[in-house]
Amino acid sequence: MKRQAIAVVILLSFVGTAVADYQLVRTIGTTGSGNGQFNGPQDLAVDSLGNVWVVEKDNNRIQEFDNQGNFLRTIGGRGSGNGQFSSPQDVAIDSFDNVWVADSSNNRIQKFSSSGVYLGQFGTYGSGDGQIDDAEGVAVDGAGNIWVADWWNNRIQKFTDTGTYLAKSGDSSRGGSGDGQFAWLGSLATDSSGNVWVADANNDRIQEFNSDAEFLRTLGTDGGGNGQFAFPRSIAIDASDNIWVAEAWNHRIQKFDSNGNFLMKFSTGGSADGVAVDRWGNVWVANYWDDCIQVFSVPEPSSLVLLVLVAASLSAYTWRRRAKGQR
């Protein structure tokens, strides 16, 4: 009986491993400037319908796709006018499905409706409070405040949704590796508590701040092990406050719980520059260098796996009854 029990444990362990690994299920896009093509997809975000918005740095536009990867619309084009972009770097979706874009070289944040209609903007060039020098990342918290990764100023800033400056963390005069300092900011994301998590790419770490932009903790060190990073470029937070990090140089996605504990990882097979998680648990990855979007998910268990699970469960139940002297 012990040998049978051990066999079932091994089978269940094998099945658990088989169904827990994320696998590539879809690749979207080819190199180009047509609808559904990409030239430098930098990052992406998912709205409440499950549609995915992709920011293209080199095509100076945003593209929207449904959750099956079908092209829906394009907004933008190169320029500095309303609704135009110059090397956009990041995109975020608020609770009303409005689309916020980090319009990097125009040093501003632009807002669009869920149908792509231009609604407004804020930001001017500079290093003073409320000014921006290269908007690298954008996120929206639960209260509707806008967080901006201000790249050349080596800081993050918090604004109201109308662009009023509220708070900051970092040093506009220089970067650094101390708590609350940055070296090559990536994207940022907010959790359900209003805390903001920042991809501090060249310091190979993630930093967490509270809603007042006060430093809380650091996650990760330089390296390729579990919980280590090599140029973490993008960060996403799912509905359970799990933290997903895209590593450009380690070519992988890592997942952490809300306390920063490592949970799992998977390889993307190429540069992982942006990451987003939809409501079904699919992980969307922007691959800047290969001009594509990759979709990863945990596959449904096969009929063989289900059969093994059922057989193992029935066997375990029978053994428990016999152990109690029952027939």
Side-chain angles (χ1 to χ4, degrees), residues 166-238:
L166 295 175
K168 67 180 178 182
S169 184
D171 187 347
S172 61
S173 62
R174 60 183 176 84
S177 58
D179 292 345
Q181 294 183 314
F182 304 104
W184 198 307
L185 278 160
S187 74
L188 66 176
T190 60
D191 62 25
S192 63
S193 298
N195 296 333
V196 59
W197 298 75
V198 185
D200 188 9
N202 216 37
N203 281 325
D204 299 307
R205 65 184 183 181
I206 303 298
Q207 295 195 69
E208 182 188 10
F209 299 82
N210 67 17
S211 59
D212 294 319
E214 297 168 335
F215 172 82
L216 294 178
R217 71 175 121 181
T218 293
L219 173 64
T221 57
D222 176 30
N226 295 343
Q228 294 183 312
F229 302 113
F231 209 81
R233 172 62 186 77
S234 180
I235 186 169
I237 296 179
D238 65 24

Side-chain angles (χ1 to χ4, degrees), residues 91-107:
V91 59
I93 311 294
D94 66 22
S95 60
F96 300 100
D97 277 344
N98 295 311
V99 181
W100 298 80
V101 182
D103 188 8
S104 177
S105 295
N106 281 328
N107 306 300

